[in-house]
Structure formats: structure tokens, C-alpha cells
Amino acid sequence: MMRFLLLFSRQGKLRLQKWFTPLPERERKKIVRDMTTLVLARKPRTCNFLHWKDLKIVYKRYASLYFCCALEEQENELLALEILHRYVELLDKYFGNVCELDIIFNFEKAYFILDEFLMGGEVQETSKQSIANSIEASDMLQETMEEYMSKPAF
Amino acid sequence: MPAVSKGDGMRGLAVFISDIRNCKSKEAEIKRINKELANIRSKFKGDKALDGYSKKKYVCKLLFIFLLGHDIDFGHMEAVNLLSSNKYTEKQIGYLFISVLVNSNSDLIRLINNAIKNDLSSRNPTFMNLALHCIANVGSREMAEAFAAEVPRILVAGDTMDSVKQSAALCLLRLNRTSPDLVPMGEWTARVVHLLNDQHLGVVTAATSLITTLAQKNPDDFKTSVSLAVARLSRIVTSASTDLQDYTYYFVAAPWLSVKLLRLLQCYPPPEDAAIRGRLTECLETILNKAQEPPKSKKVQHSNAKNAVLFEAISLIIHHDSEPTLLVRACNQLGQFLQHRETNLRYLALESMCTLASSEFSHEAVKTHIETVINALKTERDVSVRQRAVDLLYAMCDRSNAKQIVAEMLSYLETADYSIREEIVLKVAILAEKYAVDYTWYVDTILNLIRIAGDYVSEEVWYRVIQIVINRDDVQGYAAKTVFEALQAPACHENLVKVGGYILGEFGNLIAGDPRSSPLIQFNLLHSKFHLCSVPTRALLLSAYIKFINLFPEVKGTIQEVLRSDSQLRNADVELQQRAVEYLRLSCIASTDILATVLEEMPPFPERESSILAKLKKKKGPGTVPDPEDNRKERCANINGATNHSSTTANAKASAPSFIGDLLAPVLPPINRPRPVSSLSLLPTPLTPLSLQAYAMPLSPSAGSHFQVSSPASDLLSLGSASTLNSTPPSAPKASASLLVDVFSDNSPTAPIGAPAVVVADENFSRFVCKNNGVLFENQLLQIGLKSEYRQNLGRMYVFYGNKTSTQFHNFTASVVCQDGLNSQLNVHAKPADPMVEGGAQLQQTLNIECLSDFVEAPVLNIQFRYGGILQNISVKLPVTLNKFFQPTEMGSQDFFQRWKQLGAPQQEVQKIFKAMYSMDSEVTKAKIIGFGVALLDGVDPNPSNFVGAGVIHTKTSQVGCLIRLEPNAQAQMYRLTLRTSRDTVSQRLCDLLSDQF
């Protein structure tokens, strides 16, 4: 299974964190620190895999964002790379030309999309169409924009 | 769609996020956040009830603040309220907040569980999915307890929507991982297997993950999944790339599902049914063939997905290890990847080949790629790839190519990255030792190691070279000559000085005939390094000097001169001073005979697992470092058998059943060669018993006092296993040494080392029968805590020694002794503990335990250390009891009684009626029975107040099924305990253990 998935910027700012096993907050912060230093220090065109403790780290950079996940020993690294790619595609399909700002301002959406795709560290649904459909369906359940805009800001 | 969704309208949130982004400094950010927190707090506390929208917005802000890395200590209740909203977005934000922020022991869990329960029964698939996600995300025990029955039902119900099935499968998987005991197999298991046939590929994907995990734990229950998985895989592999519509990923048919199916098949041996086996082989061949076809797309996604399936197929081929043609094809495929322009593929090929190298069919094929791998070591720009190349070279090494590989590794070492140097040093040292035919090569290699990477040569490595030189007399002369030459270098590493000092001290006489290395020249050479070395090395050199006095009487004067100098006799370091004083006195007062006896050549060391190998294993973590030959079958036996040196190899093979998979061979019983007591080790051990005071004592023989110096010192090199299991007390000193015995004997008589100490503490022993962690022993100096875990017939115990004082413990040793017949029933391997425990510090020692057959006695932990100069001896009975090797077995009432009847022979049953020692609380009793290791079976006994349990004791030689029945009688405050097992000794022992607990 996948143990965690992190999105961080080139400056090391964490943009999204998903933990598939419970860990104390302190441990999480330490892992985030380790991952950002480890991955950001890698030179371009090196391989996308690392060994870290007993885990395999798979990472890939998309524009200004690094997508980085940790896998257990027997997992398939190449396919994990494609999990990251599929997630980027899903974000892209949803936001349309996704950029870091979309994820910052709509972080909750980024989580919802991830939840449709992965669950408990395993792939739940790989079909882009199915995921897009269910996200769309849940968006349809929302109230209209006007309804929201009429609400007070603070 | 994005138009609606993007601005789904929490304007306040967007404004807040912008504000934070505009903050110029960390302080400004914190200020803004505190302002917001105060605002939200007042809103939540205010009199005015908030509407759902505001609640959602504020909860979302709190979540954002938390994700920025700040602590959030309120708002949980509001989030829980959102769960019961009937507006989807509010519910969704509520669940997100809870998934991210609520930890498992929150007191809100009950409320959350309630909301989840409502959503699960809502029959609204969107709500059900949210609820299932929440269970999977939090995954706490309470949630597992509440929903472990419900989730399987949803999964296999006929009318469940596909998307809900997917969530339910993975949710169940998560619960099974966190609380396997709460997710019992049931009639749903058979139906889960059939999900492999489901129409919907998404459902199959999710279900395969679940089945794989369950099959790893209960292979028998899921055997039928093999044929279904093969059928499914075959359909995918042969489908046209458009058949699977959206499940085709960049022209690759369902790569995720394919990989998962291949993983599932790796839980099982090759299928026995010839038809299925043939079909699987066809699939694997098709996958290998596809790798040779031209790519259908230039996109990296296409090649990644295709190769992901290929690598997984190769993993399966390696796992089966039964089809030579497939193995060789796999090897050739990986060989192609070794030269691929994609770094990722080169990396993975190196990694995969490592496992392939351990198969007897493909080992030779892997070896043909040696040049490519060596080239990778030299040219790869990425250190993680080079690391894999080192690993592969290590794995493919055997006698035929050892010299080449060791030479390449040595030359790589000169430029290797600092982060991996130590590991390479260890690997070189292991290979050099293992494949040495010619020991001069071994000695040269290790000295080269020290020359090239002295700082990375750990103690284990140079200890080992000394052990080997001492044990092999054919190499001693060469070693002495080589170190002598190496020491000529103007700057040599301190480790070389250590090895040189030790070897010349022992075998300098072998080269003393040559006028170029006369005794005086040897001594001057060593002494020229003396002042540049650290204290431990100087201490070792002083010992070498005293050995020189024995070897070469002609330099006695010169050495005494050196010892007598102020820089030695008045050295600020107490250890050096003491050695100088003692050695000087020894050289003055002892006769030549006595000197010769005391300073005799070191006796051979008992053969045991290489301490270096142990170190490498420790460094790499369990399971990752196979001894290069361990897995390979007896194929090379004839080569290895040719020389007698390979006892380590042979021994490692003899002990093939690996210890929790990490191949830590249990300690080999030492060769019973009586060790002369009187030889003085050169190693830097403080020779404390030899106090100046001792010289003032009348030199009368005192019976029973043993020669204290040599015992602790002589075993020092045996780092691989500080505790020899069946250690015998040191043999009595020889008559000729009796005078010295008194010179060295301590003022106060102490128990001889290795003999059982006065009292073996066992007051806390029985408290550990039903639990694995806690404090085992405590006095005013020392606290011993335990943490242990057991799996089948193996166990691992972590022993924590806490120094309760503010001063150091010196010469700390802790060893485990299995007395009487226990050592043939139980293997306990203690990793060596640090000899020094700082005041207030805690030291951890790991014990690996293997149960060979059923046993009654318990091993004893002997601890010795010096506190304030006084030797402390503590012995504690280690709570390793037979029941630790229980695996619980769930069974229904019918099963239970059937087995109960089968075990009806009178000697198989043991019964005991006893008075309750503690209050008869049924919850406590249940916990104890579960802690004892058996499964507690509900609804089996017709009388609900009785307890019934079942389990299997795993020993290396056999498995013993065991049924337990405990009948409390509350009025009489009595219990009746009945045990039935297939072996009378086991019944009796378990009964004794358990009846003490209530």
C-alpha cells in the first residue's frame, strides 16, 4: 500500500498531505521535513525512486509542484509514478489547466478528488471518466453559486 | 463544470487564504491566524446559532490553518455537527475535517460513529461513500468495532452500487490491516473471491487489493482466487487495447488491475492444476513478448505502465522460481533494461536482478551481465542507481568472480559517496572473507579497505580480520609481514595501527628473523605511531608492548624504559596509566615462565556468524540483506566444500530456516575448545581487577577465585554474539598460573563469570504471561523494561536497561543463558549490548528468540556491570513462556466440540481447580485469555459465563493445537481450568502458566 502522499512546492512549502496510516503529528512533520530536503536536493534527470528507511519513495515534479509518495516494500514503483500522473490528470480535468494556486485555494477539492481515486493507500478507481463523473455528480449536489454569493463573507 | 465548482463560494475562505499568502513574514502570518482563530472561536461560542454555511466555512478555515502546520484545539464539535447536515457540501467538509484532524482516541468517536451509521444506512451512494471513506481514513479500533460487521455486508450485498462496493472493499481492507482480530472471516469471504469475476473493472481492482491482503494472512481460505485471477489476467492480457475503454491507460490494458492480479498470484506457489498453470505461463509469455513489440505511443506513461506490468510479471516468475525458461527470459529482459536510456528502468532492472541472482536457475544468467553492472557503477550519475549496482554485485558474487567484484568495489570505494561508503566497506569485507581461497588475498583486501576508507571501517571489520588471522596459522606470517610493510607509510590510518599492533604483538616473532624487521625495528615502528593515536589505540599498543617483552626478551629493556617514562606512568588517562604501571610491574616481578603463560598467543576464536554480516543486516534492516549464498541452493556446494574454511557459509546454510525472514542465523554453539584462562587479551579492556592494592596482598593461593582478567577480555572479539548461549564457567586456572591468580584476584570475592548468580529474580515473571510489555526488574540502580513481539515460532524481545543513577555503569554485559535442556528447545540470540551505560541513560538490547520445541523452563538473563568500582551481578528470569508462541484460531461451536472430542485421551487433558486470586471480573478474564494468546470463542460454551479459547502453539518442529475452557464459580470464588492439547507436556505447562493468572 501507499503510506503517504505529499505535494510540495520547489520552496518546500507543503501543499497537500495525505496519510494512509495514523502517525503522531510530530512524526508527520519530521517525515515532511525529510522528504522535502531529500527530494529537493535531487538533481534533474536522476531517477524517480529512492530508498528511505524501509519505504520506497517515488516522486515526480510537475511544473512548480513535487508529487511524492511512499510505498511499502513490494509495491510497483513504475505504476506509482503513473498514480501520480493520473492524479495530476484528474486535477487538470477538474480545474482546467491546473496550477499550484488552484490547489492552494481549493485544497478541499484536491482532497475530494484524491479520495475518489485512492482509499486506504490503494487505488480505488482508475477510470478517469468514472472519477470525473462522480466529482461532477457531487458538485451538482451543491447549491448554486448565486446562493453562496449572497451569503456574508465573514 | 469548473465554473460552478471553482467558485463554490466560500468567499471568506478565499479572502483568508489570500491574506495569509500576502503575509510578508512568519510573524505576520501567525498574527493573522491568531486573529482568525479568535474570530472563529467567538462565532462558535456566540449566542447566535450559526447556519450550516457559516459552520462549514469556519470549519474549513480551521482545516486550512491546521494544514499550514498550526495546532487546532477546537471546532471538532462543529465539524461533527456538519456530518448530520443534509447538504452534501457541508457533510463533505465535516468528513474531511474529521479525516484529517480527529485522532483515534478522540471522545467524539461515538458521535462520529453515529453519523456514519446513519449515512451507511441512508442508501444514498454518495453519502455511503463519504462514510466509508471516513472509516478508512480514521480507521481506529472503535470504528472497527462498530463497523466490522456492517462493511462486509455492504460489500457483498446484491443491490449495492458498484462505486459503494469499491469503497467498501478498500474500507474493509483498511480495517483488516488495523484490527485484523475484529474482521473475522465468514461466509462473505467466498463471495468476495467472486468479485474477481465482476463486470465492473473498478470493482475488480478494489477487490483484488482486499483479497491479496487477506490471502497473505489466510492463504487456504482464498485458494480459489488463483484460478479466477489467472482467468481474469488472461482476458486482460489478450484483449485489444481498446476493449477495456477507460480502463486502458495510454494503450495499456488495465495496468493497475494486471499488477494487482500478479501480486495476488505471488501469495501462492505455482498452480498445481496443469491447465491453469499453462494458462498462466501463456500470460507471462505474452507479457514478455509485448516488451519486444514496438511501443504504441512515445509517451512515457505508455512505457511506464507497460513496464510496470512487465516488472510485476518478472516478480511473479522469480517468486515461482520454477520455470527455467521464463527465468532466463526475464533475466535477458532485465539485461536489456540495464542499458536502457531511462534511468528509472536501469534502476529497477538492477533491483530486480538482485532477487533473480538468488535463484539457482538464473544465477548464472545474471552473472553474464557483470561487465554492464560494473560499468554502471563507474558511469551512473545518480547515486541511488550506483547503490543498486553495488547491491547487485554483492548478490551476484560467488567464488568464480569474487576477486573481480571485490577489486571493482574497492576501486569504486575511492570515489564513492560518503553516504554509502560504510555499507560498501562491510560488503567488501564479507565477500572477501566468504570467498577467500587464499587468505593472503583476504588480508590484502582488508588492509586495502583500511587504507582507502579507514574512517568507514568499523570495529567489526578489523576485529574480524584479527579473528581470522588468529584462527588460521597459515596466514599469520604473511599478515605480520604485510602489516609491517603497511605501517611503513608515513601516514596510516589509526585502524591500521590497531590491526598492526595486535598482529605484531601476537605474531611479530614470525618475521623477526629478517633483519629488516627485527624486534627493535618492529617496536620502533609501532611506537612511532603511538603519540598520534587516540587513547584506546594507545592502550592496545601498550598491550602489544608487553606481549613483545614475552616474544623478544632482547627488547625488554627498551620497552620497560618506555613504560617507565613519565608520559606513561603519570599519564592523565587513568586507563593508560594503569596499564603502564601494571605491565611494568608484571615485566619486573614475573618469571619468564609465568610471563610466557600469561602472555601466551591468543587461542583460536570459536567460529560463529560473521559479526560483519550481522552489522550489515542491522544497518540495512531485517530481510534486506541475504547472505549472498543463503538462498542459492546447494548448487555450489561442491565448490565451497572444497576448502574447509567456509565454515561460516556452511553454518549459515545449516541454519537455513530464517529468523523472521531476516536470515539472522542463530548463534552457533561454540566449538568446545577449552580456552586457556591465562592468555591476556590485547584488546583495550580496562583491567580493573588488577588494582594496585592487589600487589599489597599476601600472595597466597585462595581457592575458588578465578582469574578475573581474562574471562571478560578474552571474549571481547566475539562481537557477533556477546553472549554465548551455553557458556560454561571458565575452566580452573592451570597450576602454573596459580601464583598469578592471586596477583590478579580481586579483593572481594565475586561470583565467577558465566556461573549463575546468587539469586535469579522472578517476582515479575508471571505478570508477563498474558502481556508482552512492562517492567521486569527494578532495584535502586537499574530498571529493566521489556517489549516483545512474537510471530509463530519466532519472537523478538527488546530489553531496556535504565541506569537510575547519575553515574556510568562500566563493563556492562548482558547475556542470556538457557540452562539444562532448555538450549535444545529454545534458541535465544542476544545482540551485544554497549559496555557503557551513562547515568540516567537507557540502553536497548535486542533478543531474537526461536522456539524449537515445547519447553518448561525459562531462560535467564545475566547482567553484570561495575557501579562505583563494585561488580554488580543481577540475574532475572526472562518471561519467555510457551504460550508466547500461540497463534489464535477462530472456530465455530461445532468445530470446537469435534476437536474437543478428538483430544479425549486422558493424558491429553489437564484440569486444575483453584481459588481466585483476583476479583472475578469477566472483562479482565477475557483480556487475560486473549493476552495468553488464544482466540476467545464466543457462543461456543452453552454456559455464557464460561470462557472458551483455541490456538495453535508453533514450534520449529511441530505445531500443537490447544483448546481451553475456563469455568468460573463466582459463589465459591473458584475456577476450573481444563486444557486439551495433543501433547501432555504442553497441556501441563500451559495449565501451570494460565492458572496463576486469575
Side-chain angles (χ1 to χ4, degrees):
Chain A
M1 69 179 281
M2 190 184 280
R3 294 281 190 83
F4 56 80
L5 172 73
L6 305 175
L7 268 62
F8 47 84
S9 69
R10 261 193 306 171
Q11 292 75 34
K13 281 236 177 221
L14 190 61
R15 295 304 180 201
L16 184 135
Q17 45 175 320
K18 180 79 184 177
W19 306 89
F20 295 107
T21 47
L23 286 173
E25 188 56 26
R26 239 186 38 189
E27 182 85 356
R28 291 181 179 185
K29 284 190 171 150
K30 190 175 171 312
I31 292 177
V32 169
R33 240 190 351 262
D34 282 4
M35 284 305 118
T36 44
T37 41
L38 200 63
V39 169
L40 292 175
R42 302 273 294 168
K43 296 195 189 93
R45 294 168 54 78
T46 47
C47 85
N48 297 87
F49 316 131
L50 293 170
H51 274 236
W52 180 77
K53 300 197 172 162
D54 57 342
L55 297 177
K56 296 173 176 177
I57 308 298
V58 175
Y59 72 93
K60 187 160 181 177
R61 181 176 156 185
Y62 287 89
S64 59
L65 265 190
Y66 281 88
F67 288 65
C68 165
C69 64
L71 310 174
E72 285 178 354
E73 194 48 49
Q74 338 75 3
E75 294 289 311
N76 194 309
E77 293 102 325
L78 278 176
L79 210 53
L81 213 46
E82 294 319 298
I83 289 181
L84 299 181
H85 186 76
R86 175 68 13 137
Y87 183 45
V88 174
E89 285 183 348
L90 290 168
L91 291 171
D92 201 59
K93 190 171 169 104
Y94 185 79
F95 290 109
N97 253 333
V98 67
C99 68
E100 196 180 335
L101 280 182
D102 289 321
I103 296 172
I104 296 173
F105 279 94
N106 301 284
F107 68 96
E108 80 281 10
K109 287 285 178 218
Y111 276 101
F112 297 149
I113 295 171
L114 186 62
D115 270 351
E116 293 291 336
F117 180 35
L118 301 177
M119 180 169 177
E122 303 282 349
V123 173
Q124 180 184 353
E125 175 58 82
T126 63
S127 156
K128 198 153 64 167
Q129 201 51 53
S130 302
I131 298 173
N133 287 346
S134 50
I135 300 271
E136 193 172 2
S138 66
D139 274 344
M140 294 305 277
L141 290 171
Q142 291 176 173
E143 298 88 324
T144 60
M145 196 156 159
E146 289 83 305
E147 201 180 328
Y148 268 110
M149 297 308 275
S150 62
K151 299 264 167 72
F154 284 95
Chain B
M1 172 182 69
V4 188
S5 54
K6 258 184 150 174
D8 76 349
M10 287 187 280
R11 197 144 55 89
L13 176 66
V15 171
F16 175 58
I17 295 177
S18 308
D19 280 1
I20 295 288
R21 285 179 54 76
N22 290 334
C23 286
K24 295 274 184 290
S25 64
K26 195 80 197 162
E27 290 72 39
E29 184 185 307
I30 291 174
K31 213 169 141 203
R32 179 69 185 87
I33 285 171
N34 285 337
K35 184 178 151 208
E36 192 62 40
L37 286 175
N39 171 42
I40 299 173
R41 211 186 294 264
S42 74
K43 295 282 187 206
F44 283 170
K45 276 201 182 138
D47 312 326
K48 212 172 66 176
L50 289 177
D51 58 7
Y53 166 77
S54 311
K55 237 186 256 172
K56 171 182 117 173
K57 184 179 72 188
Y58 293 129
V59 165
C60 212
K61 280 182 179 175
L62 286 178
L63 187 58
F64 181 78
I65 294 171
F66 176 77
L67 290 170
L68 278 179
H70 302 267
D71 290 335
I72 295 296
D73 54 5
F74 68 102
H76 300 70
M77 200 56 213
E78 283 73 15
V80 173
N81 284 340
L82 285 178
L83 297 185
S84 32
S85 163
N86 44 19
K87 290 217 173 93
Y88 177 69
T89 51
E90 288 168 15
K91 200 188 263 300
Q92 201 183 21
I93 293 287
Y95 272 123
L96 179 61
F97 183 92
I98 284 163
S99 301
V100 175
L101 254 123
V102 171
N103 50 21
S104 42
N105 47 20
S106 164
D107 17 321
L108 293 172
I109 286 285
R110 226 165 35 85
L111 290 171
I112 298 169
N113 278 358
N114 241 341
I116 292 176
K117 204 162 277 168
N118 288 336
D119 281 335
L120 282 184
S121 51
S122 70
R123 310 190 62 78
N124 173 336
T126 323
F127 287 7
M128 287 171 90
N129 277 338
L130 279 180
L132 289 167
H133 265 286
C134 185
I135 301 173
N137 277 323
V138 178
S140 67
R141 209 165 160 83
E142 279 123 318
M143 280 202 178
E145 272 162 8
F147 301 109
E150 179 69 12
V151 179
R153 211 163 28 238
I154 294 174
L155 175 61
V156 297
D159 56 349
T160 305
M161 299 259 300
D162 288 335
S163 69
V164 179
K165 269 191 201 164
Q166 286 166 272
S167 306
L170 294 179
C171 181
L172 188 57
L173 169 56
R174 176 65 208 280
L175 293 184
N176 183 277
R177 278 186 180 140
T178 40
S179 319
D181 53 314
L182 294 178
V183 188
M185 301 294 113
E187 54 94 37
W188 58 273
T189 41
R191 300 174 65 181
V192 165
V193 173
H194 282 279
L195 288 177
L196 288 174
N197 275 335
D198 202 282
Q199 295 282 316
H200 190 284
L201 282 190
V203 173
V204 188
T205 311
T208 313
S209 296
L210 172 66
I211 294 167
T212 305
T213 304
L214 294 175
Q216 278 162 353
K217 293 178 183 161
N218 324 282
D220 287 345
D221 292 348
F222 292 88
K223 256 190 190 136
T224 44
S225 63
V226 173
S227 59
L228 295 179
V230 171
R232 189 96 222 189
L233 182 67
S234 159
R235 265 180 285 159
I236 296 172
V237 169
T238 52
S239 65
S241 57
T242 49
D243 285 0
L244 304 174
Q245 292 144 0
D246 210 28
Y247 289 91
T248 299
Y249 181 83
Y250 290 87
F251 303 101
V252 181
W256 277 280
L257 179 53
S258 309
V259 164
K260 284 182 180 217
L261 291 169
L262 289 162
R263 286 268 321 127
L264 169 59
L265 292 170
Q266 286 171 61
C267 302
Y268 291 94
E272 276 159 27
D273 182 319
I276 299 173
R277 194 176 170 142
R279 200 163 175 197
L280 178 58
T281 306
E282 258 171 49
C283 287
L284 295 171
E285 276 167 351
T286 315
I287 294 172
L288 285 169
N289 291 342
K290 278 190 181 167
Q292 301 303 326
E293 290 169 11
K296 293 198 178 76
S297 154
K298 286 214 167 96
K299 287 240 162 74
V300 66
Q301 281 75 29
H302 170 71
S303 91
N304 279 352
K306 187 167 133 181
N307 292 326
V309 178
L310 178 60
F311 272 106
E312 206 61 50
I314 292 176
S315 293
L316 179 62
I317 293 171
I318 297 172
H319 169 80
H320 283 172
D321 197 14
S322 61
E323 299 270 356
T325 34
L326 284 178
L327 279 163
V328 170
R329 279 194 71 182
C331 186
N332 293 339
Q333 181 60 56
L334 293 179
Q336 283 182 23
F337 283 150
L338 283 183
Q339 316 209 37
H340 202 280
R341 59 186 174 80
E342 275 269 336
T343 317
N344 286 344
L345 290 179
R346 295 198 302 274
Y347 175 97
L348 292 174
L350 289 166
E351 195 177 52
S352 261
M353 263 203 186
C354 262
T355 38
L356 211 48
S358 60
S359 161
E360 59 172 317
F361 298 118
S362 50
H363 182 73
E364 287 304 318
V366 170
K367 273 168 62 186
T368 59
H369 298 287
I370 186 166
E371 295 304 332
T372 320
V373 182
I374 287 170
N375 197 39
L377 196 58
K378 287 178 178 158
T379 56
E380 283 291 349
R381 285 190 302 171
D382 185 345
V383 53
S384 42
V385 183
R386 292 197 296 270
Q387 165 94 62
R388 295 285 86 78
V390 171
D391 287 348
L392 178 54
L393 283 178
Y394 178 73
M396 67 161 68
C397 191
D398 61 20
R399 183 138 306 155
S400 70
N401 55 18
K403 282 204 173 166
Q404 183 187 9
I405 286 177
V406 165
E408 291 296 347
M409 281 188 170
L410 270 177
S411 81
Y412 172 58
L413 192 55
E414 308 215 24
T415 53
D417 310 73
Y418 297 115
S419 55
I420 58 175
R421 282 197 181 182
E422 188 183 353
E423 197 185 315
I424 298 176
V425 167
L426 291 174
K427 286 186 163 153
V428 169
I430 290 167
L431 294 178
E433 176 186 339
K434 193 176 190 89
Y435 298 112
V437 182
D438 168 6
Y439 272 82
T440 58
W441 173 70
Y442 170 75
V443 169
D444 287 341
T445 305
I446 301 295
L447 291 181
N448 261 332
L449 267 187
I450 296 176
R451 184 178 58 76
I452 296 168
D455 286 344
Y456 298 89
V457 173
S458 56
E459 291 191 325
E460 285 84 352
V461 174
W462 74 261
Y463 283 5
R464 189 70 186 160
V465 69
I466 286 171
Q467 284 182 9
I468 287 178
V469 169
I470 285 178
N471 285 13
R472 302 196 53 90
D473 39 22
D474 54 338
V475 78
Q476 288 160 354
Y478 181 80
K481 183 165 162 284
T482 320
V483 291
F484 177 79
E485 278 161 11
L487 282 171
Q488 307 281 344
C492 47
H493 195 272
E494 190 164 334
N495 277 336
L496 182 68
V497 179
K498 290 179 186 165
V499 175
Y502 202 113
I503 288 185
L504 292 180
E506 293 289 329
F507 308 115
N509 55 330
L510 299 177
I511 55 167
D514 187 332
R516 284 166 300 177
S517 51
S518 71
L520 191 60
I521 294 177
Q522 284 186 40
F523 171 73
N524 285 337
L525 181 60
L526 280 181
H527 199 54
S528 69
K529 317 281 180 196
F530 187 89
H531 301 282
L532 302 170
C533 290
S534 64
V535 169
T537 310
R538 288 195 209 180
L540 184 146
L541 286 177
L542 287 179
S543 298
Y545 297 168
I546 186 78
K547 288 233 161 186
F548 267 28
I549 290 184
N550 175 43
L551 289 180
F552 315 118
E554 62 265 41
V555 294
K556 183 171 174 178
T558 319
I559 291 174
Q560 281 179 333
E561 198 66 24
V562 169
L563 292 175
R564 203 175 282 129
S565 71
D566 275 359
S567 62
Q568 307 298 350
L569 276 190
R570 299 193 178 169
N571 195 296
D573 185 88
V574 68
E575 178 63 36
L576 291 180
Q577 189 188 89
Q578 190 172 354
R579 283 195 187 216
V581 170
E582 287 167 4
Y583 290 157
L584 185 58
R585 283 298 289 160
L586 182 64
S587 72
C588 295
I589 61 165
S591 71
T592 331
D593 279 355
I594 291 171
L595 265 187
T597 317
V598 175
L599 302 171
E600 197 178 37
E601 192 178 298
M602 287 296 285
F605 288 87
E607 283 295 343
R608 48 173 61 110
E609 184 196 25
S610 158
S611 49
I612 312 175
L613 196 56
K615 162 122 183 171
L616 182 63
K617 282 167 187 160
K618 195 166 127 203
K619 195 169 152 53
K620 296 278 274 184
T624 48
V625 188
D627 185 328
E629 255 178 31
D630 261 2
N631 296 334
R632 228 174 292 148
K633 290 149 200 170
E634 289 299 326
R635 191 174 45 83
C636 345
N638 51 342
I639 321 173
N640 278 336
T643 52
N644 63 354
H645 97 280
S646 57
S647 48
T648 28
T649 320
N651 285 333
K653 274 183 184 162
S655 56
S658 56
F659 198 96
I660 318 193
D662 68 357
L663 297 166
L664 265 189
V667 184
L668 310 160
I671 296 164
N672 265 339
R673 198 180 338 225
R675 178 186 286 279
V677 186
S678 49
S679 51
L680 180 54
S681 168
L682 283 177
L683 280 175
T685 339
L687 298 172
T688 18
L690 179 71
S691 61
L692 285 173
Q693 204 185 354
Y695 285 95
M697 285 171 55
L699 298 179
S700 67
S702 69
S705 61
H706 288 261
F707 192 70
Q708 292 278 334
V709 184
S710 57
S711 304
S714 60
D715 216 32
L716 246 205
L717 273 183
S718 57
L719 279 187
S721 50
S723 60
T724 328
L725 282 188
N726 28 16
S727 66
T728 45
S731 50
K734 289 180 199 162
S736 64
S738 61
L739 181 68
L740 270 158
V741 166
D742 293 304
V743 176
F744 287 109
S745 69
D746 210 323
N747 216 344
S748 55
T750 45
I753 289 147
V758 222
V759 189
V760 177
D762 64 349
E763 51 264 38
N764 287 340
F765 184 82
S766 74
R767 285 174 34 195
F768 283 86
V769 169
C770 292
K771 61 174 195 169
N772 286 331
N773 306 329
V775 173
L776 176 65
F777 175 87
E778 186 155 11
N779 65 12
Q780 62 274 40
L781 301 179
L782 179 73
Q783 186 193 52
I784 305 178
L786 290 186
K787 255 184 154 169
S788 35
E789 54 198 34
Y790 293 87
R791 200 184 324 151
Q792 299 191 322
N793 70 321
L794 302 173
R796 186 165 285 174
M797 186 178 272
Y798 302 94
V799 189
F800 299 88
Y801 304 97
N803 180 345
K804 289 169 66 181
T805 70
S806 52
T807 31
Q808 289 170 338
F809 293 166
H810 290 281
N811 293 17
F812 187 92
T813 60
S815 59
V816 180
V817 180
C818 294
Q819 275 153 334
D820 305 324
L822 188 58
N823 53 27
S824 61
Q825 298 161 337
L826 197 66
N827 257 334
V828 184
H829 173 92
K831 302 213 169 138
D834 214 322
M836 175 93 82
V837 190
E838 295 292 338
Q842 200 181 47
L843 177 74
Q844 184 188 338
Q845 187 182 29
T846 309
L847 310 179
N848 286 325
I849 303 161
E850 183 185 26
C851 175
L852 303 173
S853 67
D854 66 273
F855 61 96
V856 174
E857 294 303 323
V860 174
L861 178 65
N862 289 325
I863 298 140
Q864 282 197 333
F865 57 89
R866 282 192 174 268
Y867 169 69
I870 298 165
L871 188 64
Q872 304 282 336
N873 262 322
I874 294 168
S875 291
V876 192
K877 225 164 142 183
L878 269 185
V880 180
T881 48
L882 185 55
N883 64 297
K884 299 294 177 196
F885 303 96
F886 254 129
Q887 292 282 105
T889 317
E890 293 288 347
M891 59 178 83
S893 153
Q894 203 183 349
D895 257 4
F896 183 87
F897 286 111
Q898 195 184 348
R899 291 183 202 197
W900 184 262
K901 271 191 214 127
Q902 283 165 358
L903 295 170
Q907 73 276 15
Q908 289 174 329
E909 180 182 290
V910 172
Q911 195 170 71
K912 194 165 174 182
I913 297 170
F914 53 94
K915 200 135 187 77
M917 285 190 291
Y918 308 97
S919 84
M920 297 178 78
D921 180 333
S922 84
E923 285 310 309
V924 176
T925 310
K926 274 184 189 168
K928 283 183 177 169
I929 292 177
I930 292 170
F932 193 61
V934 293
L936 188 67
L937 305 175
D938 276 334
V940 166
D941 199 292
N943 179 351
S945 58
N946 291 348
F947 303 93
V948 169
V952 177
I953 298 269
H954 286 254
T955 74
K956 190 178 166 193
T957 45
S958 62
Q959 300 190 352
V960 184
C962 171
L963 304 174
I964 289 180
R965 186 181 195 200
L966 180 71
E967 297 157 279
N969 181 339
Q971 271 143 10
Q973 289 287 303
M974 300 281 276
Y975 285 102
R976 180 164 74 180
L977 173 65
T978 316
L979 273 118
R980 286 190 178 186
T981 77
S982 50
R983 196 171 302 167
D984 51 347
T985 49
V986 174
S987 305
Q988 189 57 53
R989 179 59 184 154
L990 291 176
C991 181
D992 292 344
L993 283 169
L994 191 58
S995 60
D996 275 352
Q997 300 296 317
F998 301 105

